[in-house]
Amino acid sequence: MADKPEALVADLLAQLDLEVLEDRLFRGSSRNLGGRSVFGGQVAGQAMVAATRTVEPGRLAHSMHGYFLRPGDMDKAIVYEVDNIRDGRSFAARRVQAIQHGRPIFSMLASFHAAEDGYVHQAEMPDVPGPEGLASHDELRHAWVDALDRVPESLREAVGREVAIDLRPVHPWNMLAPDRREPKQYVWFRAKAALPADQALHRAVLTYASDFNLLTTAQLPHGVSFFTPGMQMASIDHALWFHGDLAVDDWLLYAMDSPGAQDARGLSRGLIFTRAGRLVASVAQEGLIRHRQQ
């Protein structure tokens, strides 16, 4: 039986509500989303929460740059160590190390900025259908599995895991029978239930959600996916810039493209817009897309 949306979102918020161990030292838990290791967006989102808790009120994250160094162990807690690099009059910088088994699995630099007026311009939002009437990724995954003749229980379990984010692709791409297409995709998304009116929390949840679908964009021209035999996929780095306040419990459009892939690495980019067309975030990620013959 599927989990209720409210329960899924409450569980995500519990993951982001890190335990305080000591000054600038926190601990978080993980959830199995069907992958081989901890979901990268979870680690990045928790790291963002850890950094935010060491910054004085009134300053919000405007950018983060992270490197995924080792696969995360889903059965072990993750410790987040925050280094106070700088507190200036308008900007603050923090370095966060996510640690398991005594070694860093993720390293992040985040910058925070006090609200300030300035020039404004932005890219235009793509003209795509709205989220109403589009099938959710949960529905699509179940349909793709049901269409197969034989389904290993491990695959059914992996594909059947639901997340707290409602993802609705404009042009669905069947990861179990991938075709070749242009390296672009558009996905509407939002939290499956309302979130507290805390802008720092919304930015942490967006950090979490920004890792969904991004790396797969670099696979679209090649007709391969995470489930292709011999395929190794992993996020290598992740960069995110925030452009003003946002609400992750309202529909956002994730417009993604991949300008290139080489040397078993693919680069993907994304722009995130509100329904009204305001740009609220920009994302870039390079990932491993290595294929080894079986």
Side-chain angles (χ1 to χ4, degrees):
M1 184 174 181
D3 291 330
K4 293 183 177 180
E6 294 79 7
L8 290 167
V9 171
D11 185 64
L12 174 58
L13 297 182
Q15 289 180 65
L16 296 175
D17 188 18
L18 303 177
E19 177 188 359
V20 179
L21 298 178
E22 185 51 85
D23 187 31
R24 299 195 303 275
L25 199 63
F26 307 88
R27 180 164 56 198
S29 60
S30 300
R31 299 294 184 273
N32 185 347
L33 300 188
R36 301 184 183 96
S37 58
V38 174
F39 173 54
Q42 175 207 300
V43 182
Q46 289 178 330
M48 179 63 73
V49 170
T52 301
R53 288 187 176 177
T54 70
V55 176
E56 65 184 60
R59 298 187 183 191
L60 291 168
H62 71 89
S63 69
M64 62 80 73
H65 300 256
Y67 275 90
F68 298 94
L69 305 174
R70 295 178 176 87
D73 183 346
M74 286 181 281
D75 296 325
K76 300 294 183 180
I78 305 174
V79 173
Y80 294 88
E81 183 179 31
V82 183
D83 184 11
N84 185 341
I85 298 176
R86 178 178 184 267
D87 281 312
R89 285 187 293 181
S90 56
F91 287 90
R94 297 292 186 269
R95 178 170 50 235
V96 183
Q97 297 274 74
I99 301 168
Q100 275 190 327
H101 304 292
R103 301 188 298 177
I105 63 170
F106 178 72
S107 183
M108 181 189 81
L109 278 172
S111 183
F112 297 79
H113 187 203
E116 188 173 337
D117 292 330
Y119 298 109
V120 176
H121 75 273
Q122 67 161 72
E124 288 190 16
M125 179 180 176
D127 184 13
V128 300
E132 292 81 9
L134 297 178
S136 72
H137 203 241
D138 293 334
E139 296 169 332
L140 290 166
R141 290 200 316 267
H142 287 295
W144 294 333
V145 168
D146 292 341
L148 297 176
D149 292 332
R150 297 180 181 179
V151 183
E153 189 57 35
S154 58
L155 175 61
R156 187 178 294 278
E157 181 182 356
V159 172
R161 291 182 184 273
E162 296 189 10
V163 299
I165 307 299
D166 188 351
L167 302 158
R168 299 192 183 185
V170 175
H171 304 291
W173 182 69
N174 187 344
M175 56 189 168
L176 301 181
D179 61 348
R180 297 175 185 267
R181 60 177 67 178
E182 186 180 9
K184 292 183 179 180
Q185 59 178 335
Y186 305 100
V187 179
W188 289 98
F189 72 96
R190 68 176 178 183
K192 290 181 176 177
L195 299 176
D198 177 353
Q199 187 55 213
L201 177 62
H202 280 259
R203 296 189 187 203
V205 174
L206 185 70
T207 303
Y208 171 88
S210 66
D211 197 32
F212 285 112
N213 297 297
L214 193 57
L215 181 53
T216 61
T217 310
Q219 295 183 304
L220 295 178
H222 310 288
V224 295
S225 79
F226 177 83
F227 294 101
T228 299
M231 179 60 60
Q232 290 181 296
M233 285 181 61
S235 301
I236 297 173
D237 61 0
H238 193 87
L240 173 59
W241 297 263
F242 299 99
H243 312 304
D245 289 351
L246 55 98
V248 190
D249 48 4
D250 197 1
W251 287 113
L252 298 170
L253 177 67
Y254 205 167
M256 293 164 275
D257 75 322
S258 174
Q262 64 290 309
D263 300 324
R265 303 189 315 274
L267 177 63
S268 299
R269 306 175 298 190
L271 297 177
I272 300 176
F273 299 88
T274 67
R275 291 205 62 165
R278 183 170 63 86
L279 180 68
V280 294
S282 302
V283 193
Q285 182 182 96
E286 189 174 48
L288 176 71
I289 48 173
R290 176 188 292 141
H291 186 233
R292 290 180 169 170
Q293 297 298 325
Q294 297 295 290

